[in-house]
């Protein structure tokens, strides 16, 4: 299911990405803030599994509550949990399956499966195969560093279904605001040189409080002329450099636009900085802050530049870049919230594919790995005496929250399915998890519900760390005085202070 969150400004966000939801909530309770932080760290580290990490931490604490109430010392509990986590992590590393990198076909299908698993809980689950392919294509176009910034996601509202989304092996960005004379510029170039500037190409209104005293009209005219000459001088230098496409972060005025149009150049001003940077990384060259040094080595190149209509917007495309380590996904679709959620879902999938390329070991998703760990820890707990046995048992029980939640989300009878799963895992069916499609259990490794092992490892460690952190606090002291004289802080929702 998805959540609709309305923030204080009345902006609605629809999402089911755990980290997104928690970021938008206004959490006042200090212990709950810890949970928000682990979701964020999971998002930053591995990009997916944000909901799992929050669920696990909460469930750990729920399982521990009776022990704390019975007066078991928190340090004992923490020690047990730490060792349980270590055992679980080493167990994951043991049973994770490594993917062969040599076989490109096999690696590709594996990556697509991982991407599809990441997308299956999202709004666009219907089109997950379509998007999984696209995400894998996008990531495979990158270089070995796999920087996320190098995949641009542009959203175009209206005029197309989700299936009209496509991947551009290069840079694409929305056509910027333009002045008269723009219509006369050519819209297509074969292998142009590209000048990337951070220069203003327009007449500045003298508003910088510059005081110039003139005695006669000729002097004034001279000042105005000088300004024009400076502009024309800049334009001339750009033209002579041989660049055919001029992109600038700052505005390009109407005079400049006309000038370029007369000489068959294309220009775009006010290009967002990240687009400019991506163009630079894709096409080579570097961003210049003056026009005096426009030599060939600071100009970019690409095979084809064109401007095309996408939905209601015009987009500029640079394709066939020599250093093509970047790509752009253009999303089409209806409502704005829907597009935003699609973008977030793709972000999750992209991160997962990156992880799967970097760490090539995977485990089965759909609650399978959690059940296996749960069984393993339960068996282990029986071999040790004392309080630790109970605690590790409770850790094992907490892990079952993931398959249980999956059942609840799909509307299944959770108790029934968990019983089946426990039986299966006890008989040694280690990859058995919830089968969402048939309200049953299935071998999720066969069914290709895969996730990178690193996601699970990170989720477990973060969740148990958070649980231990909150446990180890035995008293909360709030400093009431400091907020009385300053702005009333920390009460939230404007309740009056009672002193």
């Amino acid at each position: 299911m998805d959540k609709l969150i309305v923030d204080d400004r009345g902006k609605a966000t629809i999402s089911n990405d755990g980290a997104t939801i928690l970021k938008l909530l206004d959490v006042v309770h200090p212990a709950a803030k810890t949970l928000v932080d682990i979701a964020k760290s999971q998002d930053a580290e591995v990009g997916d599994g944000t909901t799992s990490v929050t669920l696990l931490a909460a469930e750990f604490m729920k399982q521990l509550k009776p022990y704390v109430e019975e007066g078991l010392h928190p340090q004992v509990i923490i020690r047990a949990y730490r060792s349980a986590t270590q055992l679980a992590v080493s167990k994951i590393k043991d049973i994770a399956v490594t993917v062969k990198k040599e076989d490109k076909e096999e690696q590709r299908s594996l990556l697509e499966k991982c991407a599809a698993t990441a997308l299956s809980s999202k709004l666009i689950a219907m089109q997950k195969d379509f998007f999984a392919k696209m995400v894998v294509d996008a990531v495979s176009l990158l270089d070995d560093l796999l920087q996320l910034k190098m995949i641009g996601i542009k959203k175009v509202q209206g005029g197309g279904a989700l299936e009209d989304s496509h991947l551009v092996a290069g840079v694409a960005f929305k056509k910027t605001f333009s002045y008269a004379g723009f219509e006369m510029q050519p819209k297509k170039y074969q292998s142009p040189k590209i000048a990337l500037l951070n220069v203003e190409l327009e007449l500045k209104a003298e508003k910088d409080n510059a005081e110039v005293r003139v005695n006669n009209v000729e002097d004034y005219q001279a000042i105005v002329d000088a300004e024009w000459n400076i502009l024309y001088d800049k334009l001339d230098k750009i033209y002579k450099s041989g660049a055919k496409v001029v992109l600038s972060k700052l505005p390009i005025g109407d005079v400049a636009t006309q000038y370029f149009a007369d000489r068959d150049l294309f220009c775009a001003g006010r290009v967002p900085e990240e687009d400019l940077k991506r163009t630079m990384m894709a096409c080579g060259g570097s961003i210049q802050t003056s026009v005096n040094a426009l030599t060939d080595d600071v100009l970019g190149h690409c095979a084809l530049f064109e401007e095309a209509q996408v939905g209601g917007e015009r987009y500029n495309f640079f394709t066939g870049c020599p250093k093509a380590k970047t790509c752009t996904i253009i999303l089409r679709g209806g409502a704005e919230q829907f597009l935003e959620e699609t973008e977030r879902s793709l972000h999750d999938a992209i991160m997962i594919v990156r992880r799967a390329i970097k760490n090539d070991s995977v485990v089965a998703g759909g609650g399978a790995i959690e059940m296996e760990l749960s069984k393993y820890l339960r068996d282990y707990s029986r071999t040790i005496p004392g309080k630790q046995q109970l605690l590790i048992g409770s850790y094992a029980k907490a892990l079952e929250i993931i398959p249980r939640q999956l059942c609840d989300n799909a509307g299944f009878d959770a108790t029934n399915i968990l019983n089946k799963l426990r039986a299966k895992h006890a008989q040694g069916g280690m990859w058995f998890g919830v089968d969402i499609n048939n309200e049953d259990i299935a071998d999720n490794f066969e069914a290709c519900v895969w996730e990178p092992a690193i996601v699970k490892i990170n989720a477990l460690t973060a969740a148990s760390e958070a649980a231990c952190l909150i446990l180890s606090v035995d008293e909360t002291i709030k400093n009431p005085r400091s907020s009385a004289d300053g702005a009333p802080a920390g009460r939230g929702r404007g309740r009056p202070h009672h002193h």
Side-chain angles (χ1 to χ4, degrees):
M1 307 300 282
D2 295 343
K3 307 279 167 275
L4 194 156
I5 302 151
V6 184
D7 64 8
D8 45 8
R9 285 186 226 94
K11 180 178 179 294
T13 309
I14 299 178
S15 176
N16 72 3
D17 175 47
T20 311
I21 296 171
L22 289 174
K23 265 192 209 113
L24 291 170
L25 294 178
D26 196 8
V27 180
V28 181
H29 195 287
K33 281 206 172 105
T34 321
L35 297 185
V36 179
D37 288 344
I38 56 172
K40 282 185 189 164
S41 89
Q42 178 83 2
D43 202 25
E45 260 311 299
V46 283
D48 194 28
T50 45
T51 322
S52 316
V53 87
T54 321
L55 260 179
L56 276 171
E59 189 62 20
F60 283 158
M61 288 184 284
K62 189 170 150 192
Q63 293 290 340
L64 290 177
K65 189 167 179 261
Y67 294 109
V68 179
E69 282 169 353
E70 279 169 22
L72 193 54
H73 196 281
Q75 286 304 329
V76 180
I77 303 178
I78 291 172
R79 213 171 309 132
Y81 264 47
R82 292 226 168 106
S83 61
T85 311
Q86 276 162 352
L87 285 167
V89 169
S90 54
K91 176 74 173 169
I92 294 181
K93 287 181 179 157
D94 269 359
I95 60 179
V97 178
T98 313
V99 186
K100 301 170 199 61
K101 282 238 174 92
E102 292 69 56
D103 188 1
K104 277 280 170 268
E105 287 297 300
E106 190 176 325
Q107 190 194 15
R108 195 187 155 88
S109 71
L110 165 96
L111 292 177
E112 278 181 17
K113 280 159 195 160
C114 285
T117 308
L119 290 173
S120 55
S121 65
K122 308 288 188 223
L123 261 176
I124 48 173
M126 291 299 139
Q127 288 94 359
K128 68 177 177 194
D129 296 340
F130 171 75
F131 281 113
K133 257 200 191 51
M134 187 189 284
V135 166
V136 176
D137 283 337
V139 180
S140 3
L141 284 171
L142 302 185
D143 52 1
D144 297 339
L145 284 173
L146 299 175
Q147 289 150 309
L148 200 72
K149 290 200 296 288
M150 302 312 291
I151 299 183
I153 298 184
K154 296 280 172 239
K155 307 184 282 287
V156 182
Q157 245 176 303
L162 267 178
E163 274 81 26
D164 297 338
S165 310
H166 57 281
L167 180 69
V168 183
V171 184
F173 48 80
K174 201 153 98 182
K175 181 174 125 24
T176 50
F177 177 73
S178 60
Y179 289 96
F182 180 78
E183 292 70 32
M184 295 142 49
Q185 296 182 350
K187 302 286 188 282
K188 200 166 183 172
Y189 293 102
Q190 296 294 334
S191 57
K193 290 183 180 171
I194 305 165
L196 304 166
L197 303 174
N198 194 351
V199 180
E200 213 164 10
L201 298 174
E202 61 179 346
L203 290 169
K204 281 213 188 70
E206 285 308 336
K207 57 181 183 298
D208 301 347
N209 303 343
E211 186 176 316
V212 181
R213 301 206 173 165
V214 283
N215 304 330
N216 50 15
V217 181
E218 286 82 24
D219 288 2
Y220 179 67
Q221 189 60 41
I223 293 169
V224 177
D225 287 351
E227 223 190 342
W228 280 86
N229 289 339
I230 291 171
L231 180 64
Y232 274 127
D233 182 45
K234 279 184 186 172
L235 295 176
D236 191 48
K237 283 186 174 145
I238 294 174
Y239 172 58
K240 290 214 173 86
S241 73
K244 280 280 178 238
V245 178
V246 183
L247 301 177
S248 174
K249 200 176 110 180
L250 294 167
I252 294 183
D254 39 6
V255 182
T257 311
Q258 292 273 223
Y259 180 96
F260 287 138
D262 295 342
R263 287 165 182 67
D264 281 351
L265 271 75
F266 175 89
C267 67
R270 296 200 176 106
V271 179
E273 182 169 10
E274 50 173 34
D275 287 334
L276 208 55
K277 281 193 175 142
R278 268 221 312 285
T279 314
M280 174 176 93
M281 292 172 125
C283 306
S286 57
I287 298 175
Q288 294 294 307
T289 42
S290 93
V291 289
N292 296 328
L294 286 174
T295 48
D296 268 4
D297 49 348
V298 298
L299 295 178
H301 304 273
C302 71
L304 177 68
F305 166 81
E306 62 178 330
E307 179 176 307
Q309 188 88 9
V310 178
E313 315 269 9
R314 293 191 72 85
Y315 268 72
N316 301 341
F317 293 103
F318 298 84
T319 44
C321 311
K323 301 192 166 63
K325 299 294 184 217
T326 173
C327 55
T328 309
I329 293 176
I330 294 185
L331 290 179
R332 309 289 302 280
E336 179 187 351
Q337 280 99 344
F338 188 71
L339 277 173
E340 283 180 4
E341 173 62 10
T342 310
E343 181 186 10
R344 277 192 295 271
S345 313
L346 285 184
H347 168 255
D348 274 17
I350 289 168
M351 293 288 281
I352 285 296
V353 174
R354 280 180 55 201
R355 283 291 159 208
I357 291 179
K358 281 189 180 170
N359 314 53
D360 47 355
S361 54
V362 294
V363 294
I369 181 79
E370 284 86 1
M371 286 307 291
E372 183 58 30
L373 292 174
S374 175
K375 169 200 150 238
Y376 168 70
L377 287 174
R378 200 173 278 124
D379 292 352
Y380 172 80
S381 73
R382 300 213 175 96
T383 62
I384 47 175
K387 297 172 190 161
Q388 300 277 333
Q389 174 178 4
L390 290 169
L391 292 169
I392 291 183
S394 77
Y395 189 99
K397 194 162 168 214
L399 288 173
E400 291 182 352
I401 184 68
I402 301 286
R404 183 180 292 271
Q405 194 59 47
L406 282 172
C407 294
D408 286 349
N409 288 351
F412 301 162
D413 177 356
T415 320
N416 181 12
I417 288 188
L418 276 180
N419 280 336
K420 284 188 187 172
L421 277 177
R422 283 196 202 103
K424 233 349 174 203
H425 280 266
Q427 290 155 16
M430 63 191 267
W431 292 128
F432 273 79
V434 184
D435 180 1
I436 302 287
N437 302 324
N438 309 320
E439 184 158 359
D440 199 15
I441 61 173
D443 188 328
N444 278 353
F445 206 80
E446 297 292 305
C448 304
V449 183
W450 295 347
E451 299 196 64
I454 180 97
V455 178
K456 292 296 174 206
I457 293 176
N458 203 59
L460 278 174
T461 39
S464 69
E465 266 169 22
C468 293
L469 181 70
I470 292 172
L471 251 184
S472 60
V473 175
D474 65 344
E475 211 164 323
T476 315
I477 302 168
K478 229 179 176 178
N479 181 349
R481 285 311 314 160
S482 60
S483 63
D485 38 52
R491 289 302 297 266
R493 300 282 168 272
R495 286 195 219 107
H497 276 195
H498 303 296
H499 287 303

